[in-house]
Amino acid sequence: MAGKPAAPRPPATPDLKTAADLAPVLPMTADVRDGHLFIGGVDTVKLAAEAGTALYVMDEAHIRNQLSEYVKWTRYHWKDVDVIYAGKAFLSVQMARIVADEGCSLLCASGGELAYALRADFPMERVQVHGNNKTDYELHECLEAGVGRIVVDSLYEMERLAAMAQEAGVEQSILIRITPGIEADTHDFIQTGQEDSKFGFGMAEGLAMRAIKRALELPGIDLAGLHMHIGSQIFALKSFSSAIEVIVHFMEDIRQETGYVVRELDTGGGLGIAYGLPDEPSTIKDYGKVIVDGIKEHVEEHGLPVPKIMVEPGRSIVANAGVTLYTVGSIKQIPNIRTYVAVDGGMSDNIRTSLYDAHYEALIANKADRPREMVVTVAGKHCESGDMVVRDAPLQVPESGDILCVCATGAYCQSMSSNYNKQVRPGVVFVKDGDWRWSVKRETYDDLMRNDVE
Ligand code: LLP
């Protein structure tokens, strides 16, 4: 049941794989027709010619499928589960509307993300806002918008929020973020002291309990329950199980010390995805069982009622729904060292390779049925030697002008993009049933200088 962690990366060799072999990392509608990669029934080579590169392409069917899988496999085990999409992974107005349409809620990490929810007419009672240092301005925005939940991260924030809510004459529902002392990684879980996290309240030395008691006495806020988030790109489901065991135990401590019964429990996001072919993440089905049955089992042990359960997936909704298309420019062969294939993008549209040494699969969209006969390094166009998109990647023999597709870039690429070197950010298109449409237009030079004061 537990997902298999990514093995340490072996030295890359030409693996002779074609697009068909890359299905585990590609969007679910990907197929190959006449040697071209199609996504959502759209020829990506033609799309690159029409919309230009670099370009983020998102498969709407894949996104909807992931959202509905979460709804299905969490509610399969308990009726009262809310799937809250974490907008930080990728957010546009159309994305917010898709999330609403699938009956899911939206997690916002800032006033900016909340502004997207407002622009999309997202039902505000289904918006949850978190963050370890919300400004007064952001808290006001939340109250004014009437967001469903605010995840409170510190006593300083709790006091300010309660005062603001009272002044506004409202009672704001909150969750308190707990650091369960378990930090997950892709291989296993390690115990960490709560002192080591900038997020939430640790349970050591009674910090979390103090926060609960304060929330229960403060007017202006209504304590709905607890929140946690143990990490991201998690393969081992037992990391979640361990955290659930700890937090449900804490729910029992709360009842014993205060009489308060936690009504809602949010277990955060974090389910891992396949970036590379060796990755075998857990399924949403198994994840749903571990989370929901885990909570049910432990609350039963303590004689507590089953709370409303919330999960906050981000990456696993959008990562594999997206690819980035680039045009191959210069190809530099350094004998006995490596071949650099330079593209018309780089660390400005995908910082993850340089930031986390992330690995991606790549293919040439106009040679999708040919085997990956070479190993190359896909380099960006920025003035920085660490600006790589994919290091040591098996690839079809490239030529300048080819359309290069990097897989699984739907999460945390566009949302972490920048204008370094005054590079305009690529646009985002959604593909569906043979058609494409802009979700976010490509930036222009005027956009770059929009806020410049002459
Ligand atoms: N909930 C909370 C409170 C979070 O902080 C996050 C992500 C999520 C949910 C969604 O987690 P997911 O299902 O996407 O793992 N920039 C990094 C990822 C940072 C994740 C931050 N928090 C990356 O590119 O890998």
Side-chain angles (χ1 to χ4, degrees):
M1 166 171 285
K4 194 168 139 250
R9 243 185 294 145
T13 48
D15 64 3
L16 304 183
K17 295 202 185 312
T18 70
D21 303 306
L22 295 175
V25 297
L26 278 165
M28 62 184 288
T29 65
D31 65 340
V32 178
R33 302 180 203 167
D34 295 329
H36 284 195
L37 174 68
F38 278 62
I39 300 175
V42 173
D43 181 344
T44 58
V45 182
K46 222 170 121 206
L47 173 60
E50 287 167 19
T53 56
L55 184 70
Y56 299 110
V57 182
M58 305 285 287
D59 178 9
E60 183 173 339
H62 190 111
I63 294 171
R64 287 186 183 274
N65 178 69
Q66 299 304 98
L67 290 166
S68 68
E69 283 280 292
Y70 264 100
V71 171
K72 176 172 163 191
W73 292 117
T74 51
R75 291 197 190 144
Y76 183 79
H77 302 279
W78 178 240
K79 56 185 186 311
D80 199 7
V81 184
D82 200 3
V83 175
I84 311 179
Y85 170 67
K88 68 189 76 181
F90 166 72
L91 191 58
S92 66
V93 175
Q94 287 180 28
M95 180 66 200
R97 293 203 173 122
I98 290 171
V99 172
D101 194 43
E102 291 296 326
C104 296
S105 298
L106 184 65
L107 179 67
C108 297
S110 67
E113 290 185 4
L114 177 59
Y116 273 78
L118 288 164
R119 179 69 62 86
D121 290 323
F122 203 95
M124 280 299 131
E125 68 281 4
R126 277 159 52 194
V127 170
Q128 181 159 307
V129 178
H130 81 109
N132 71 308
N133 190 26
K134 303 172 200 75
T135 64
D136 280 354
Y137 195 71
E138 286 172 319
L139 291 174
H140 273 300
E141 288 172 329
C142 290
L143 292 173
E144 202 175 303
V147 302
R149 302 275 176 284
I150 295 180
V151 182
V152 169
D153 215 274
S154 68
L155 280 176
Y156 170 63
E157 176 182 299
M158 193 189 295
E159 301 285 345
R160 281 152 60 230
L161 176 62
M164 285 179 199
Q166 275 185 85
E167 208 179 296
V170 295
E171 185 171 75
Q172 176 64 52
S173 282
I174 65 159
L175 302 177
I176 289 187
R177 180 158 179 175
I178 306 293
T179 315
I182 286 172
E183 192 182 276
D185 70 9
T186 54
H187 300 90
D188 209 336
F189 64 88
I190 50 166
Q191 304 285 333
T192 54
Q194 55 80 29
E195 301 92 326
D196 215 6
S197 177
K198 72 168 184 170
F199 298 108
F201 298 89
M203 284 181 302
E205 292 154 36
L207 293 177
M209 189 63 82
R210 229 172 74 208
I212 301 289
K213 288 180 179 163
R214 187 66 184 136
L216 290 173
E217 66 191 23
L218 272 175
I221 53 175
D222 170 46
L223 178 61
L226 306 181
H227 175 284
M228 65 176 176
H229 171 73
I230 58 169
S232 201
Q233 185 60 356
I234 297 170
F235 280 75
L237 291 179
K238 71 178 175 191
S239 305
F240 295 109
S241 308
S242 306
I244 285 170
E245 191 176 344
V246 170
I247 204 156
V248 174
H249 199 278
F250 184 57
M251 284 163 60
E252 173 59 8
D253 289 348
I254 294 172
R255 177 168 69 172
Q256 281 183 14
E257 262 199 69
T258 69
Y260 171 76
V261 176
V262 168
R263 304 194 303 267
E264 300 183 0
L265 178 57
D266 185 331
T267 58
L271 182 62
I273 66 108
Y275 281 104
L277 288 178
D279 294 339
E280 284 178 40
S282 300
T283 62
I284 295 172
K285 182 178 176 189
D286 287 346
Y287 169 86
K289 183 168 168 55
V290 162
I291 297 286
V292 180
D293 275 357
I295 293 172
K296 277 165 64 183
E297 184 191 316
H298 290 296
V299 293
E300 209 165 281
E301 274 165 28
H302 293 287
L304 289 162
V306 184
K308 179 191 177 85
I309 296 170
M310 291 106 117
V311 291
E312 300 177 340
R315 189 192 315 268
S316 49
I317 303 295
V318 284
N320 294 110
V323 302
T324 311
L325 300 179
Y326 302 97
T327 301
V328 173
S330 84
I331 299 174
K332 188 173 290 181
Q333 270 171 314
I334 307 179
N336 303 320
I337 301 188
R338 72 183 73 244
T339 298
Y340 285 106
V341 175
V343 294
D344 50 354
M347 65 194 299
S348 54
D349 61 74
N350 185 350
I351 190 70
R352 298 191 71 263
T353 305
S354 20
L355 195 56
Y356 311 122
D357 196 24
H359 184 69
Y360 292 90
E361 301 287 348
L363 72 152
I364 292 180
N366 50 299
K367 298 171 181 169
D369 55 351
R370 297 199 209 160
R372 300 198 297 188
E373 289 177 58
M374 281 185 74
V375 169
V376 307
T377 282
V378 180
K381 69 191 286 287
H382 293 280
C383 304
E384 184 120 358
S385 41
D387 169 33
M388 299 299 155
V389 181
V390 196
R391 291 194 178 92
D392 299 328
L395 192 70
Q396 291 84 356
V397 176
E399 293 158 284
S400 302
D402 279 345
I403 300 303
L404 187 129
C405 170
V406 177
C407 309
T409 58
Y412 301 111
C413 287
Q414 195 261 2
S415 62
M416 293 171 79
S417 62
S418 77
N419 289 121
Y420 182 42
N421 293 147
K422 300 299 183 211
Q423 175 84 353
V424 293
R425 285 189 183 82
V428 182
V429 302
F430 277 52
V431 290
K432 187 179 177 236
D433 299 332
D435 284 326
W436 68 269
R437 63 181 193 277
W438 290 107
S439 176
V440 184
K441 284 189 292 188
R442 177 187 312 288
E443 287 180 341
T444 64
Y445 293 149
D446 282 340
D447 291 330
L448 291 178
M449 286 172 261
R450 197 176 44 215
N451 294 328
D452 265 53
V453 181
E454 288 194 35

